[in-house]
């Protein structure tokens, strides 16, 4: 089937699928809103009740999107035959890329990351590619935006030694950018300007991403098979975390994720999202059409676009290239934040980026689906504020009902018959039950799909433990939901008021939340919940019990945040085979290799090298100094200049000469290696492995 024919086919299929989805969302929403109005004392006749019904309708439509996405995804997985599946297409039409010009760059942007973890991932990726026999088709680029000089030097040392150990000079490249303009998107754009023309594809990683060699090759094969595709996104599985909250997220990702991914594929098809990592991109159209604009104005809604991935997908689609989600392509992994506070710090940045999309919704040439996805991204955080508004309005209605005498004759006309406020408990129970079905039925069906259809419950500890794990996940998520709601509402309000966020380093290890940090970040939420609950308890005690599942977790947010970050709790559940994922039952070779590479001692350091010793090592170790200067100087470093620098170092070990840190506009591996080898040949061996001066 030709590319043009296939595009016509999927665009027609997408049209009726989206009409179906729209109908499935709107009809139940109108019905539920009607029930909501009937439950209220005055049947939605007052301004307060009208506001309640409107907010409820928006929120019900929002959760209905997730519900029907899951239902459609389950349909796709059970049906099994999908004419738009890339995995099935590659099985029918195998394609070799060895004799093609499909040169692919794997980009690993990093920013003040844990160096051993990054290098373990790079080493694992290279080893996985070599097993495929096609590693010569790939180059790996470590693109550093690191601002900490100690970590910067540490990265250089680790990169050079990794290249030596794996004989990977000319395969693994390292580049440090002096100014991290536009953050990650600017980092990738800098690569495209320098070396993009040398590659047909680029696969973008996060610092903690891992992918199997087979998956990397399949992604390139899919792009070769379909020249009309600009971006192909894989759904990464969450792995490698041990804290309680992280294990809950990993379990939810692996159990519920497949049906949601399949559902997104069902109604998005070639108008899918790009999530910023674990995806392959066609370089030429990306360079030509996906340059990000700088939003006019100041404040958090202006300037550089933070959530660049959605915008790049919309730009790629506007250029005529498809953006697809390879929902059934396995072997793609990432790591989740280890604590609630780390998750919320990341969400603060994402919230600002998604709200910036409000200014792009009406951009000329964008497809309607991508405009809808911009709104969907805004609602990811805006829905929390709407939920909070709904709870405030409900509380106001409950207190008003007690304090203000009912209006039995609300109209100005004379009448003999009063309008009695009537409460219909069955309507309220029906409404509550329908909302619970929308929220929890996808989880139950996901469990049933694993147990009865795929017969893979043993990978999750067995049917009983899988069901118990779902209950634990549901209870934990229920406790965390009000806390997240409060923070996300705060993020939205602060962003709209003009308070921007910074670009902080993400935590990649399983460190827990201290009680001091939990108190600092959650105390205001605790006090608000206690005050809110006290008012309801005094004025309307029956409504207080309805609000307790929300106000209770908010009041207890300090211990919930601290205890959910504990690795010990997560490991105890793991020993009981609860919250187990397939990657733990039958560990993929790539994840096992990452763990193995992480446990190896750093061969480039005679002593345990902490992240704050890199610059000192560059000062006292001539070999490290030569490597560092050869990577940053504009021209080749001559021996006399090195000799003079060595004499200066001996006189003033901690001196910094800012002239040594002029950026090098273009980077050349061969020049770097030559400079390094010239130095070591003339001045002898390194101090590495010997006793260091001054006790270093």
């Amino acid at each position: 089937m030709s590319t043009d024919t296939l595009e016509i086919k999927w665009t027609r299929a997408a049209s009726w699928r989206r009409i179906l989805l729209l109908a499935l969302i709107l009809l139940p929403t109108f019905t539920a809103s009607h029930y909501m109005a009937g439950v209220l004392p005055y049947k939605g006749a007052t301004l307060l009740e009208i506001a309640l019904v409107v907010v409820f309708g928006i929120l019900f439509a929002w959760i209905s999107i997730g519900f029907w996405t899951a239902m459609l995804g389950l349909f796709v997985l059970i049906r099994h035959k999908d004419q738009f599946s890339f995995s099935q297409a590659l099985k029918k039409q195998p394609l070799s890329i060895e004799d093609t010009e499909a040169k692919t760059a794997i980009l690993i942007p990093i920013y003040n990351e844990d160096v051993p973890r990054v290098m373990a991932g790079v080493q694992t990726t290279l080893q996985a590619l070599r097993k495929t026999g096609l590693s010569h088709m790939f180059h790996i680029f470590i693109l550093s935006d690191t601002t900490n000089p100690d970590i910067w030097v540490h990265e250089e040392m680790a990169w050079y030694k990794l290249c030596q150990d794996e004989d990977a000079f000319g395969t693994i490249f390292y580049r440090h950018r002096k100014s991290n303009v536009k953050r990650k998107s600017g980092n990738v754009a800098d690569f495209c300007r320098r070396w993009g023309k040398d590659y047909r594809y680029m696969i973008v990683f996060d610092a903690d991403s891992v992918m199997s060699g087979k998956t990397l090759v399949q992604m390139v094969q899919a792009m070769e098979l379909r020249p009309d595709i600009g971006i192909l996104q894989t759904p990464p599985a969450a792995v490698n975390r041990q804290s309680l909250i992280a294990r809950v997220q990993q379990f939810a990702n692996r159990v519920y994720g497949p049906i949601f991914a399949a559902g997104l594929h069902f109604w998005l098809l070639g108008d899918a999202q790009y999530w910023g990592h674990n995806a392959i991109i066609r370089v030429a159209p990306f360079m030509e059409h996906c340059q990000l604009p700088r939003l006019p104005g100041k404040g958090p809604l202006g300037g550089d676009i933070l959530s660049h991935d959605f915008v790049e997908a919309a730009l790629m689609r506007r250029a005529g290239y498809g953006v697809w989600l390879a929902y059934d392509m396995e072997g793609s992994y990432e790591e989740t934040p280890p604590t609630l506070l780390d998750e919320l710090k990341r969400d603060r940045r994402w919230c600002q980026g998604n709200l910036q999309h409000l200014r792009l919704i009406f951009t000329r040439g964008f497809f309607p689906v991508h405009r809808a996805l911009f709104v969907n991204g805004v609602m990811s955080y805006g829905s929390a504020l709407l939920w909070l508004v709904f709870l405030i309005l409900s509380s106001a209605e409950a207190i008003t009902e007690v304090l203000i005498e009912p209006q039995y004759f609300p109209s100005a006309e004379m009448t003999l018959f009063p309008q009695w406020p009537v409460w219909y408990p069955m309507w309220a129970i029906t409404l509550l039950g329908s909302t619970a079905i929308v929220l929890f039925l996808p989880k139950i069906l996901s469990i049933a799909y694993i147990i009865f259809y795929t017969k893979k419950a043993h990978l999750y500890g067995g049917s009983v433990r899988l069901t118990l794990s779902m209950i634990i996940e549901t209870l934990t998520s229920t406790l965390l939901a009000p806390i997240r709601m409060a923070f996300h509402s705060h993020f939205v309000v602060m962003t709209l008021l003009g308070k921007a966020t910074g670009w902080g380093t993400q935590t990649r290890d399983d460190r827990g939340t201290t009680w001091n940090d939990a108190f600092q970040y959650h105390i205001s939420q605790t006090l608000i919940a206690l005050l809110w609950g006290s008012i309801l308890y005094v004025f309307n005690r029956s409504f207080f019990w309805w609000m307790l599942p929300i106000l209770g977790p908010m009041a207890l947010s300090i211990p919930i945040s601290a205890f959910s970050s504990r690795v010990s709790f997560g490991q105890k559940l793991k020993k009981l085979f609860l919250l187990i994922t397939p990657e733990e039952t039958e560990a993929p070779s790539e994840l096992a290799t990452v763990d193995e590479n992480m446990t190896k001692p750093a061969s480039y350091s005679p002593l345990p090298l902490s992240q704050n010793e890199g610059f000192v090592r560059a000062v006292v170790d001539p070999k490290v100094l030569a490597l560092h200067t050869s990577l940053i100087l504009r021209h080749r470093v001559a021996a006399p200049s090195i000799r003079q620098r060595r004499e200066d170092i001996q006189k003033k070990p901690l001196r910094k000469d800012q002239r040594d840190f002029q950026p090098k506009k273009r980077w050349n591996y061969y020049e770097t290696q030559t400079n390094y080898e010239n130095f070591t040949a003339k001045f002898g061996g390194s101090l590495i492995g010997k006793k260091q001066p001054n006790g270093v």
Side-chain angles (χ1 to χ4, degrees):
M1 187 182 297
S2 67
T3 301
D4 293 338
T5 304
L6 188 60
E7 183 171 0
I8 294 173
K9 193 171 182 178
W10 77 254
T11 51
R12 288 178 177 174
S15 297
W16 73 258
R17 291 180 181 188
R18 292 161 191 169
I19 292 173
L20 173 64
L21 179 68
L22 196 61
L24 291 172
I25 292 171
L26 293 180
L27 292 178
T29 298
F30 283 123
T31 302
S33 299
H34 175 71
Y35 264 85
M36 181 64 187
V39 165
L40 298 174
Y42 297 102
K43 307 297 182 290
T46 66
L47 290 177
L48 184 58
E49 291 184 355
I50 291 173
L52 270 171
V53 173
V54 170
V55 174
F56 172 83
I58 296 173
L59 292 173
F60 194 88
W62 167 248
I63 63 175
S64 296
I65 295 174
F67 174 80
W68 289 113
T69 297
M71 295 300 101
L72 295 172
L74 188 63
F75 168 76
V76 171
L77 294 177
I78 292 177
R79 187 167 176 260
H80 192 64
K81 292 182 180 180
D82 180 10
Q83 58 183 326
F84 303 114
S85 167
F86 289 95
S87 297
Q88 295 178 25
L90 290 174
K91 290 179 181 178
K92 295 177 182 178
Q93 189 178 350
L95 180 68
S96 174
I97 64 172
E98 189 167 6
D99 298 327
T100 67
E101 297 180 358
K103 202 71 176 177
T104 304
I106 299 175
L107 311 186
I108 307 177
I110 56 177
Y111 175 75
N112 294 332
E113 301 286 352
D114 178 62
V115 178
R117 171 60 185 86
V118 171
M119 294 305 165
V122 174
Q123 188 175 14
T124 300
T125 300
L126 177 63
Q127 293 169 349
L129 285 171
R130 285 175 173 172
K131 291 179 182 178
T132 67
L134 296 170
S135 59
H136 61 282
M137 302 294 296
F138 296 84
H139 284 163
I140 301 175
F141 284 80
I142 304 171
L143 305 176
S144 174
D145 262 351
T146 294
T147 55
N148 186 314
D150 297 307
I151 300 177
W152 176 11
V153 175
H154 195 176
E155 291 170 355
E156 294 172 340
M157 296 165 60
W159 161 76
Y160 191 83
K161 189 58 181 175
L162 175 59
C163 291
Q164 283 186 325
D165 293 343
E166 293 290 340
D167 191 22
F169 289 111
T171 300
I172 302 176
F173 303 94
Y174 173 88
R175 187 272 287 134
H176 179 269
R177 194 164 64 129
K178 179 182 178 181
S179 175
N180 48 27
V181 177
K182 292 189 175 182
R183 304 172 175 86
K184 181 179 178 179
S185 63
N187 202 351
V188 174
D190 181 77
F191 164 83
C192 291
R193 284 191 296 269
R194 293 170 181 264
W195 305 289
K197 62 182 177 59
D198 299 328
Y199 299 92
R200 180 176 295 179
Y201 308 113
M202 60 182 180
I203 299 176
V204 183
F205 275 30
D206 255 357
D208 55 13
S209 295
V210 178
M211 298 186 75
S212 69
K214 178 183 177 182
T215 302
L216 292 169
V217 171
Q218 282 183 337
M219 293 169 72
V220 177
Q221 290 173 333
M223 298 292 279
E224 287 289 284
L225 187 65
R226 294 281 302 278
D228 62 308
I229 297 178
I231 301 176
L232 181 64
Q233 175 70 57
T234 64
V239 296
N240 286 348
R241 288 291 184 232
Q242 301 300 326
S243 66
L244 175 59
I245 185 174
R247 294 192 63 79
V248 166
Q249 291 174 323
Q250 287 174 183
F251 177 82
N253 171 275
R254 293 298 285 121
V255 174
Y256 318 136
I259 68 170
F260 280 97
L264 285 173
H265 165 79
F266 178 85
W267 69 275
L268 288 176
L269 292 180
D271 292 315
Q273 298 161 303
Y274 165 48
W275 297 333
H277 58 91
N278 293 53
I280 186 169
I281 301 174
R282 198 175 297 272
V283 176
F286 184 84
M287 293 173 61
E288 183 177 356
H289 303 290
C290 297
Q291 296 183 16
L292 293 175
R294 181 178 176 84
L295 298 176
K298 298 181 179 180
L301 298 182
D304 297 332
I305 298 174
L306 297 186
S307 295
H308 58 90
D309 36 19
F310 283 20
V311 182
E312 289 163 345
L315 292 170
M316 183 68 80
R317 188 70 191 98
R318 185 175 70 173
Y321 290 85
V323 181
W324 288 79
L325 174 61
Y327 69 97
D328 55 350
M329 193 173 287
E330 299 179 345
S332 177
Y333 310 100
E334 67 171 347
E335 296 175 359
T336 60
T339 70
L340 177 61
L341 291 183
D342 287 309
E343 173 195 314
L344 292 170
K345 290 175 184 177
R346 180 198 63 184
D347 286 350
R348 176 67 179 90
R349 184 176 68 253
W350 285 3
C351 175
Q352 179 181 335
N354 286 10
L355 290 177
Q356 286 179 318
H357 296 166
L358 288 170
R359 305 185 62 182
L360 301 172
I361 291 175
F362 300 104
T363 301
R364 181 181 301 174
F366 279 175
F367 281 67
V369 173
H370 284 280
R371 300 182 198 274
L373 290 175
F374 285 157
V375 175
N376 183 74
V378 172
M379 281 296 294
S380 298
Y381 298 95
S383 60
L385 181 59
L386 288 176
W387 185 19
L388 180 62
V389 169
F390 178 77
L391 295 175
I392 293 173
L393 292 175
S394 300
S395 300
E397 175 75 9
I399 295 174
T400 301
E401 184 181 334
V402 175
L403 297 181
I404 300 178
E405 183 178 349
Q407 297 181 14
Y408 300 104
F409 300 95
S411 62
E413 299 179 2
M414 299 295 293
T415 178
L416 296 176
F417 302 100
Q419 295 184 12
W420 302 100
V422 181
W423 167 253
Y424 295 99
M426 288 306 299
W427 284 29
I429 294 173
T430 302
L431 187 63
L432 180 63
S434 62
T435 304
I437 289 173
V438 170
L439 290 173
F440 300 117
L441 184 59
K443 298 185 178 186
I444 297 172
L445 293 179
S446 297
I447 297 296
Y449 172 75
I450 294 171
I451 295 175
F452 300 110
Y453 190 81
T454 65
K455 309 291 185 181
K456 293 184 178 179
H458 63 282
L459 298 178
Y460 300 86
S463 301
V464 175
R465 289 189 175 92
L466 175 59
T467 305
L468 289 175
S469 297
M470 182 199 70
I471 296 173
I472 294 173
E473 183 278 327
T474 302
L475 292 175
T476 306
S477 299
T478 302
L479 287 174
L480 294 173
I483 302 173
R484 288 175 172 139
M485 174 203 68
F487 274 100
H488 290 174
S489 300
H490 176 74
F491 297 160
V492 172
V493 171
M494 289 297 100
T495 301
L496 295 178
L497 290 178
K499 298 194 70 173
T501 183
W503 185 32
T505 304
Q506 297 188 51
T507 302
R508 306 285 186 186
D509 55 19
D510 279 311
R511 68 186 68 175
T513 299
T514 65
W515 285 99
N516 183 52
D517 287 341
F519 181 86
Q520 177 184 350
Y521 283 96
H522 293 282
I523 183 59
S524 58
Q525 183 178 139
T526 299
L527 295 176
I528 291 172
L530 291 174
L531 177 61
W532 191 345
S534 300
I535 294 173
L536 289 178
Y537 188 81
V538 170
F539 290 102
N540 194 328
R541 192 164 302 180
S542 61
F543 189 73
F544 166 81
W545 298 113
W546 282 88
M547 287 287 291
L548 189 60
I550 296 169
L551 297 179
M554 292 174 62
L556 298 174
S557 58
I558 294 175
I560 289 174
S561 180
F563 286 128
S564 66
S565 71
R566 296 292 183 262
V567 172
S568 58
F569 290 171
Q571 290 178 338
K572 287 178 182 178
L573 290 174
K574 183 178 180 180
K575 291 179 180 178
L576 296 173
F577 291 93
L578 296 172
L579 300 178
I580 292 291
T581 62
E583 286 74 24
E584 294 171 314
T585 307
E586 297 179 359
S589 59
E590 292 77 22
L591 298 182
T593 304
V594 169
D595 293 338
E596 180 184 344
N597 291 334
M598 278 286 292
T599 56
K600 291 180 180 178
S603 57
Y604 52 85
S605 175
L607 299 172
L609 181 63
S610 65
Q611 300 274 71
N612 60 357
E613 295 177 354
F615 184 79
V616 174
R617 188 62 55 87
V619 172
V620 301
D621 191 324
K623 244 187 177 182
V624 176
L625 174 63
L627 173 63
H628 183 66
T629 53
S630 64
L631 284 169
I632 64 174
L633 290 179
R634 186 184 302 273
H635 304 290
R636 295 181 64 174
V637 182
S641 63
I642 294 180
R643 184 183 299 110
Q644 182 62 43
R645 190 173 292 108
R646 187 181 186 187
E647 293 174 357
D648 292 342
I649 290 172
Q650 291 174 343
K651 294 177 181 178
K652 295 184 178 181
L654 297 180
R655 174 187 174 187
K656 291 187 189 178
D657 188 345
Q658 296 298 327
R659 291 174 297 177
D660 290 344
F661 290 89
Q662 297 298 318
K664 185 177 181 180
K665 289 187 177 179
R666 287 189 64 87
W667 164 82
N668 189 312
Y669 148 71
Y670 298 102
E671 179 181 314
T672 298
Q673 189 181 31
T674 302
N675 294 342
Y676 186 78
E677 291 174 349
N678 285 346
F679 175 83
T680 55
K682 187 170 185 67
F683 293 104
S686 166
L687 294 177
I688 293 179
K690 302 177 182 179
K691 185 176 180 181
Q692 302 295 313
N694 299 325
V696 177

